[in-house]
Amino acid sequence: DAGVIQSPRHEVTEMGQEVTLRCKPISGHDYLFWYRQTMMRGLELLIYFNNNVPIDDSGMPEDRFSAKMPNASFSTLKIQPSEPRDSAVYFCASTLGPRQNTGELFFGEGSRLTVL
Amino acid sequence: GQSLEQPSEVTAVEGAIVQINCTYQTSGFYGLSWYQQHDGGAPTFLSYNALDGLEETGRFSSFLSRSDSYGYLLLQELQMKDSASYFCAPPNRDDKIIFGKGTRLHILP
């Protein structure tokens, strides 16, 4: 398996533009997590899905952020409109189950977003 | 709610031993995981403790005390490549996995 695949790896956009980040989890993994990482706030959980259903989106900063998982092999995180404070690295991660065996999370390479 | 506490930075000398502590508060605790992240990279899994005690994996060991809501990662025979950030992460009964700001490990030659 190729691992968790995220795109784009880098995105530079202007304030007010829509940003869409994409993630393909590892095949067979039932859980998908979206995290945001900044120096100030560390690695924050935004939302996670189980079997394509959002379980907890309490970490989504505000209504400008939305996430979907239309099927088991694809998820998107959308920011509309984007603001400079959204600049961060966004990670997607998948796992068979946090309480199964070691519950290992497999992370994608991340999408580095810069909003000017 | 959930909360994690780790030191923000730790400095050690190459070849030495270093311990990174983690105290946590989470509902429905199941175990404690540790991840490593190099600058510019993604976090990668290091270890998991489901039970109290010490788990050893090569130069790295991880310890858990459920009664104290405490764990630590022990790195032995430190190498320059161990310079990275280290995160503890406890999954809870709702399968929610939180991290935090992690501990940045600096290794001096």
Side-chain angles (χ1 to χ4, degrees), chain A residues 31 35 37 40 48 99 105, chain B residues 35 37 94-95 97 100-101:
Chain A
Y31 288 80
Y35 293 91
Q37 187 171 36
M40 290 294 291
Y48 70 102
R99 289 176 283 150
L105 266 178
Chain B
Y35 288 78
Q37 184 181 28
D94 298 320
D95 295 326
I97 306 177
K101 296 184 180 180

Side-chain angles (χ1 to χ4, degrees), chain A residues 31 33 35 37 39-43 45 48 50 55-56 58 91 95 98-99 101-105 107-109 112, chain B residues 28 30 33 35 37 40-45 47-48 50 85 87 91-102:
Chain A
Y31 288 80
F33 294 75
Y35 293 91
Q37 187 171 36
M39 288 293 291
M40 290 294 291
R41 302 176 70 94
L43 196 56
L45 174 64
Y48 70 102
N50 179 18
I55 303 301
D56 188 330
S58 60
F91 286 104
T95 180
R99 289 176 283 150
N101 198 10
T102 65
E104 178 178 352
L105 266 178
F107 282 80
E109 297 283 332
R112 181 176 293 277
Chain B
Y30 273 89
S33 300
Y35 288 78
Q37 184 181 28
T44 56
F45 176 83
S47 68
Y48 175 72
S85 292
F87 298 84
N92 74 354
R93 65 185 175 202
D94 298 320
D95 295 326
K96 188 171 184 175
I97 306 177
I98 65 164
F99 288 77
K101 296 184 180 180

Side-chain angles (χ1 to χ4, degrees), chain B residues 19-37:
Chain B
Q19 179 174 312
I20 298 173
N21 299 320
C22 169
T23 55
Y24 58 84
Q25 183 176 15
T26 182
S27 55
F29 179 80
Y30 273 89
L32 190 66
S33 300
W34 288 91
Y35 288 78
Q36 177 191 60
Q37 184 181 28

Side-chain angles (χ1 to χ4, degrees), chain A residues 22-109:
Chain A
R22 298 172 177 80
C23 176
K24 181 182 187 323
I26 292 174
S27 176
H29 281 188
D30 293 331
Y31 288 80
L32 184 142
F33 294 75
W34 281 101
Y35 293 91
R36 175 173 71 173
Q37 187 171 36
T38 61
M39 288 293 291
M40 290 294 291
R41 302 176 70 94
L43 196 56
E44 301 174 274
L45 174 64
L46 299 177
I47 185 172
Y48 70 102
F49 295 83
N50 179 18
N51 290 319
N52 314 338
V53 177
I55 303 301
D56 188 330
D57 65 354
S58 60
M60 297 286 260
E62 46 198 275
D63 292 345
R64 297 184 298 107
F65 285 69
S66 63
K68 294 181 180 179
M69 193 163 185
N71 57 61
S73 58
F74 184 65
S75 177
T76 59
L77 178 67
K78 188 172 291 188
I79 309 172
Q80 167 62 20
S82 58
E83 297 182 4
R85 59 187 166 139
D86 302 331
S87 298
V89 180
Y90 290 81
F91 286 104
C92 173
S94 71
T95 180
L96 280 171
R99 289 176 283 150
Q100 290 193 30
N101 198 10
T102 65
E104 178 178 352
L105 266 178
F106 294 82
F107 282 80
E109 297 283 332

